[in-house]
Amino acid sequence: LVACNDDWCGLGSRVEWTPVVGRDYLLRVSGYNSQSGLFRLGLSGPDTLDEDCVQARTLGLGAHWVSLEAAHEIDGASSCGSSSPRPDRWFRFTAPALGTIRAKTCGTHDALGVDLGVDTVISWHASCPGNGGNELACSDDSSSCLQIGAIRDSEISAPINRAQTLFLRLSPYFPGIGDLVRLELSFDPANDDCGDAISIGEGLTLGSLVGATNDGSATCSGTPGPDVWYSYTAPVSGKL
C-alpha cells in the first residue's frame, strides 16, 4: 500500500505519493460501506519544473488534469484576473500548421461540487518570460464555459503559425482554493473550411489534418473524414 484516503473533500477522496520513475502503480477505487454508482476520477502530476516558462511542459491536444498545488513560484504576469501576483504553471504547444490554438478550463470550478473547484486564469504568450509585453490573449471567468454555479472557468484562443510555439500560463485567481484543473487544448486549422481555402502554387506544401473537421466529400473515398482545403489558380493551360 502506497497511500489511502477517505473523505478528503466532503465525501470525495484524494491521495498523493511520490512515484518511482518507470514503476507501474494500481489505483483502487471502492465504495464506502459497499456503496456503488458513478464517480469522477482525476489524475495530475507528477510535479515537474514547469513552474518556469522556459521549462514549460509540452501539452498535447485534448483534456488533461493538472494540479496547482505544487505551484509556489511566480514566473510571469497576465493582464486579467488579478493573477499576476499568483503562483503559476507553464505549458507549451507547437502548431502542426497555420491555425488557431484554443485553451479552456471548462469543468474545473464545479469538478468537486458546485463552486468548490479552482477559479482559473489562463493566458497565451509568444515567448518567455511571459508578461504583458508578449501576451496574446488572457481569460478569466468566461461565459462560453457551461457552468452550474458561478462563472469562474476560462477559455482563450490565439492565432498560431506552423511550427510556432506558444506558452500557456495557468494560475489561480484566489490561491489555495482547490488544486485540480481540467485543462483542454484544441486546434483549428486555418483552412478547415472550403471557404477558407489557402492559396498555393507549384511545389511542396506541408499540411496537417490535426484538429480538422469535415467540410466536404469525394466520390473516390469512403466515409467523409477530416479535411483541409487549398486553392490553386493555373497560370497557363495544361496538365497539372
Side-chain angles (χ1 to χ4, degrees), residues 65-153:
W65 284 97
V66 299
S67 175
L68 283 171
E69 182 181 28
H72 303 298
E73 298 181 4
I74 301 173
D75 186 52
S78 302
S79 63
C80 65
S82 299
S83 66
S84 293
R86 311 298 188 199
D88 47 35
R89 291 188 67 177
W90 287 88
F91 305 91
R92 69 175 70 205
F93 175 80
T94 301
L98 176 69
T100 301
I101 180 63
R102 305 180 188 277
K104 60 183 179 181
T105 61
C106 302
T108 296
H109 197 238
D110 296 324
L112 302 177
V114 178
D115 292 342
L116 295 181
V118 186
D119 182 353
T120 55
V121 179
I122 52 178
S123 55
W124 281 115
H125 298 263
S127 60
C128 295
N131 52 46
N134 53 34
E135 182 184 277
L136 302 176
C138 187
S139 173
D140 176 39
D141 302 346
S142 173
S143 59
S144 62
C145 293
L146 296 178
Q147 298 168 71
I148 301 174
I151 298 176
R152 294 292 182 266
D153 294 332

Side-chain angles (χ1 to χ4, degrees), residues 13 94 118 122 179 199 222-223:
S13 305
T94 301
V118 186
I122 52 178
D179 56 16
S199 177
T223 303

Side-chain angles (χ1 to χ4, degrees), residues 183-220:
L183 180 59
E184 183 175 353
L185 295 189
S186 61
F187 176 75
D188 301 325
N191 55 341
D192 192 26
D193 298 328
C194 179
D196 295 321
I198 295 177
S199 177
I200 59 174
E202 297 178 28
L204 181 64
T205 298
L206 295 178
S208 172
L209 290 173
V210 173
T213 59
N214 177 257
D215 188 43
S217 61
T219 59
C220 59

Side-chain angles (χ1 to χ4, degrees), residues 5 8 32 39 43 66 86 127 145 173 206:
N5 179 259
W8 174 77
Y32 181 77
F39 61 87
L43 183 66
V66 299
R86 311 298 188 199
S127 60
C145 293
Y173 180 80
L206 295 178

